[in-house]
Structures are given as C-alpha cells and as structure tokens.
Amino acid sequence: MFPPEPAKAWRRRRRRRSRGRLGSLHERAARWQDRRSGAMQMADLSADISSWAISAGLRAEYTFRTDFVDITPHAGVRYTHVNVNGYDMESGGLTVLEGDAYHQDIWSFPVGVTFSKSFDAGAWRVKPSIDLRVTPNAGDIESKAGVRFAGVSEPATMRSQTLDYVTYGGTAGLEFSKDNVKLSLNYSLDAGEKSTQHGVYATFRYEF
C-alpha cells in the first residue's frame, strides 16, 4: 500500500479556461543608407515607410493543480494581417525606386505547456513560471513586394521570408502580487530555422 502523503500531494484540482485577444500596431519607419563610399558613388538613399498590423487570437488551456506544481497545457490559433504602404526611395532629391504596397495574412497555431506555482513570501504572493511551446505558421510566410527602378520599364519582385514555418520557444517569468497590485518580469526566446528572437518585458497591473 502506498503511503498517504504522496498520494495526497498529487491530488489533481482541475481548471478549464479559454480566452481571446485582439490587438493592433502602427509603425512609421525611416530607411537611410550611406552610399557615398560605395562603388556606386551616389548620394544617400532614404525612404519613409509606414505599416500597420492587426491580430486576433483564441487560446484554450486546462490546468492541473497539485501541491508541487500547476501544469497547464494550452493550444491556440492566431491570425495576423500586416499591411505595408507604398513608398518612394530617393537619392539626392530624385526618386530612384518606387515600392508597391503589399500585405501578408499569417496564421499561427501555438501549442505548449506551462509549469507554475504560487507561494507566499512575506506580504507578497510570488509565482514563478516556465512556458515551453512550439508554433507552426502558415499563410504568407514570404513577403512579395513589387518595385520599379527609375529608367527601367519592367517591374521587379522582391521576396523575403519574414517568419519561420515552425518556431520553438520558451518563457521564464516571475510574478509578484499584493492586494490589487501585480508586477511581473519575463524573458522569452523563440527560434526557428532562419530567425531567433529574444525579449525581456515587465508588466504592472492594478485591479480595481
């Protein structure tokens, strides 16, 4: 017969939850390149490019609570629409290249599991967590932009892979809560075949 304490420690308390997210982003960027020292011996290149994106997602998760660690498998779907407006690239006050507007529609399907546990540390409630995930991506993984060079009648197409088809990632975080205040600090890493992204971010939330 098994001893009673370990059996009690792994007694499961379950919680099912789903949530959605809607977000938007607008960006305006200036592109500049010094060409005076290059082989082309031309004036600097500059362009003013504006873009915006909107995304919507849905995530479902199921938490198994134990006395040692809370285990939360999760799966979701996220749609992102990216739009880049047309632009002119200039050199010495003259337009040398015209870029067409283009857009991308990307679908992501993140799947992962989060390990976390809350405990008391004086007057604060502390919650460390680790999240491991894999994210397949589909849709317009490559951007395709039409460009026209000055003096050239035929347009050209520029292609660039902006996202990996599959990324693997993880996030380590630490949350502090007291009464209506919550503070958190997180580090995230997402890597794929052709790209790697690091992120450090902090959040502050006051509930009332």
Side-chain angles (χ1 to χ4, degrees), residues 175-178 180-184 203-207:
E175 181 184 271
F176 302 88
S177 60
K178 179 182 178 182
N180 297 333
V181 176
K182 282 189 178 182
L183 304 169
S184 67
T203 62
F204 171 80
R205 185 169 64 183
Y206 181 82
E207 299 177 348

Side-chain angles (χ1 to χ4, degrees), residues 25-27 49-54 80-86 100-105:
L25 173 68
H26 184 274
E27 179 181 6
I49 306 172
S50 62
S51 62
W52 57 269
I54 186 170
T80 304
H81 176 84
V82 181
N83 187 85
V84 179
N85 296 326
D100 294 337
Y102 67 92
H103 69 271
Q104 294 174 261
D105 295 297

Side-chain angles (χ1 to χ4, degrees), residues 30-60:
R31 297 290 187 262
W32 176 83
Q33 186 176 11
D34 187 354
R35 301 298 303 174
R36 288 172 295 179
S37 60
M40 298 180 67
Q41 294 296 310
M42 61 186 298
D44 298 343
L45 297 173
S46 62
D48 191 6
I49 306 172
S50 62
S51 62
W52 57 269
I54 186 170
S55 64
L58 184 65
R59 166 170 155 157

Side-chain angles (χ1 to χ4, degrees), residues 12-19 59-65 71-75:
R12 296 185 298 178
R13 298 184 293 275
R14 305 176 181 178
R15 183 182 65 176
R16 182 186 295 110
R17 184 170 62 178
S18 62
R19 57 185 177 181
R59 166 170 155 157
E61 58 185 36
Y62 196 94
T63 301
F64 298 89
R65 297 189 180 277
I71 305 172
T72 306
H74 57 81

Side-chain angles (χ1 to χ4, degrees), residues 117 119 125-130 171-177 182-187 201-203:
K117 192 62 181 178
F119 62 90
R125 187 74 173 169
V126 181
K127 181 181 179 181
S129 63
I130 296 178
T171 300
L174 195 59
E175 181 184 271
F176 302 88
S177 60
K182 282 189 178 182
L183 304 169
S184 67
L185 179 64
N186 302 273
Y187 167 74
Y201 57 95
T203 62

Side-chain angles (χ1 to χ4, degrees), residues 93-166:
L94 300 176
T95 299
V96 297
L97 181 146
E98 295 180 356
D100 294 337
Y102 67 92
H103 69 271
Q104 294 174 261
D105 295 297
I106 301 170
W107 290 90
S108 302
F109 306 92
V111 178
V113 60
T114 302
F115 303 92
S116 63
K117 192 62 181 178
S118 300
F119 62 90
D120 292 323
W124 290 84
R125 187 74 173 169
V126 181
K127 181 181 179 181
S129 63
I130 296 178
D131 179 74
L132 303 175
R133 60 187 174 272
V134 57
T135 306
N137 300 296
D140 300 326
I141 303 300
E142 292 186 353
S143 64
K144 301 176 184 179
V147 296
R148 291 180 297 278
F149 293 91
V152 180
S153 58
E154 293 294 328
T157 301
M158 298 180 63
R159 300 173 181 264
S160 176
Q161 183 170 334
T162 58
L163 193 66
D164 285 295
Y165 286 95
V166 180

